Amino acid sequence: MRDLLGAPEAEWKAERAKVETEGWGARLLAHQDEDGQWAGGAFVPRGFDYREWQQVGQPWTATTFALSQLREFGLDPVTDRARRTVELIGANARWDHAGQPYWEGEVEECINGRTVADGAYFGVDVSSVVDRLVGERLDDGGWNCERANGSSRSSFASTINVLEGLLEYERATGGTPESRDARASGEEYLLQRHLFRRLTTGEPADERFLTFLHPNRWRYDILRALDYFRSAAALTGAAPDRRLGEAVDRVRSRRRPDGTWPLDWSLPGRVWFDVDDGPGRPSRWVTLRAMRVLKWCDQTP
């Protein structure tokens, strides 16, 4: 209603109010623990056996992934339920890494980028995590979760997770000169690579970057990156950079005869419920993203 139909704010806000009580948003909130968490843990469920990760896949039912989905669903951040949720998480959730308080962040840039995005969206002061991310930027302009293990080159996935967090922080607070500069350098990292190519050879860095996934969790693809640039432009008024063109053409070429876009693959692992009908089938979320990206590109002179 907001991004495609241009509905008046009063209309789409009234629809957004239903996220708490109807559909996927209500289903996800129904799984919330009394202490504000999901599945009893910050990153993995309480009592999780890591053999399941090896045999089945990473679980996606813990607090951090639930919060990100609620943000994506559009849960109104000013409702009593949303405010109470972030307060309870701040009081009770601790990161699995070393017991850090949830809203103070963990050690991995991917995780902290999403924590900043969720915190900023829901009105939490995450400025200390933002400052840490700004200081962890690599010389090529982006980020890599393996930096602490010696990596000196950025990754597409780490960079998009941090960029989304910095954008949400800027939308909520205006950002700082340092965070805005970091966001610009991260964007340039992706743009120099046309969103999916290696800078050294020009070959695709990963063929899966050209396929469509939802929910992305921490994973990267060109549609996620394009939707980030569209969202950033909604804040800044920037026109599409010409270096987005190849990725845009690839998204356009994947449109099905019925006007939808498919879900190409999904991540294995435990979930509360599915939001798509499976790989190879039309995806409402992928279609929404593709349509609003193309609308932005096609309506910009």
Side-chain angles (χ1 to χ4, degrees):
M1 293 174 69
R2 182 192 64 193
D3 298 335
L4 297 180
L5 303 180
E9 183 175 357
E11 291 185 14
W12 64 256
K13 279 193 171 182
E15 191 67 24
R16 183 172 71 170
K18 300 176 183 178
V19 172
E20 184 178 336
T21 58
E22 299 179 14
W24 291 324
R27 288 181 66 185
L28 192 51
L29 285 167
H31 290 289
Q32 189 177 21
D33 303 333
E34 290 186 4
D35 68 356
Q37 299 188 90
W38 276 263
F43 190 74
V44 295
R46 182 185 292 124
F48 177 70
D49 185 340
Y50 278 86
R51 287 177 296 184
E52 179 183 332
W53 193 320
Q54 297 172 337
Q55 297 170 2
V56 180
Q58 179 177 352
W60 310 106
T61 52
T63 302
T64 185
F65 303 108
L67 276 177
S68 293
Q69 278 201 284
L70 287 172
R71 170 169 56 87
E72 186 173 49
F73 291 159
L75 178 68
D76 192 335
V78 303
T79 64
D80 291 342
R81 180 66 181 271
R83 291 180 185 275
R84 182 62 175 157
T85 290
V86 297
E87 290 173 1
L88 286 170
I89 288 171
N92 299 312
R94 296 292 181 270
W95 288 107
D96 310 73
H97 171 262
Q100 305 98 319
Y102 191 90
W103 294 119
E104 293 181 14
E106 206 234 36
V107 295
E108 288 196 8
E109 288 86 334
C110 274
I111 294 172
N112 285 341
R114 293 195 305 277
T115 302
V116 165
D118 295 336
Y121 179 83
F122 286 110
V124 180
D125 180 4
V126 288
S127 56
S128 63
V129 191
V130 169
D131 291 343
R132 189 186 320 163
L133 288 169
V134 169
E136 292 168 343
R137 181 174 36 158
L138 297 174
D139 291 343
D140 59 9
W143 290 263
N144 193 323
C145 287
E146 294 299 319
R147 175 195 54 83
N149 295 323
S151 179
S152 59
R153 294 187 298 177
S154 298
S155 80
F156 289 81
S158 297
T159 298
I160 196 63
N161 279 277
V162 174
L163 282 176
E164 289 172 349
L166 294 179
L167 177 62
E168 203 64 60
Y169 180 73
E170 190 172 327
R171 182 176 286 116
T173 69
T176 65
E178 295 78 12
S179 72
R180 293 192 294 271
D181 180 67
R183 193 167 71 79
S185 76
E187 290 183 349
E188 187 61 22
Y189 170 85
L190 296 179
L191 289 168
Q192 286 177 347
R193 292 156 177 81
H194 294 255
L195 302 194
F196 68 95
R197 295 193 178 279
R198 294 187 186 278
L199 198 59
T200 51
T201 66
E203 294 298 314
D206 187 330
E207 290 294 337
R208 279 199 158 175
F209 290 172
L210 302 174
T211 61
F212 303 146
L213 164 73
H214 187 269
N216 282 82
R217 314 298 187 185
W218 62 267
R219 293 277 190 162
Y220 178 91
D221 63 40
I222 58 171
L223 185 53
R224 179 178 185 176
L226 285 168
D227 205 23
Y228 160 80
F229 280 99
R230 176 206 61 82
S231 183
L235 178 66
T236 66
D241 190 285
R242 59 179 177 77
R243 291 169 290 182
L244 300 176
E246 189 176 5
V248 171
D249 289 343
R250 286 179 178 265
V251 169
R252 200 186 305 275
S253 72
R254 295 295 313 286
R255 192 169 197 166
R256 294 158 50 97
D258 63 1
T260 65
W261 277 259
L263 179 74
D264 289 320
W265 65 293
S266 57
L267 290 163
R270 195 191 308 180
V271 296
W272 290 115
F273 51 86
D274 292 317
V275 295
D276 276 305
D277 295 329
R281 302 288 298 166
S283 165
R284 282 172 283 184
W285 281 104
V286 173
T287 297
L288 168 63
R289 274 189 152 172
M291 290 182 70
R292 64 190 184 189
V293 162
L294 294 182
K295 180 182 179 183
W296 169 55
C297 293
D298 292 345
Q299 289 188 350
T300 303

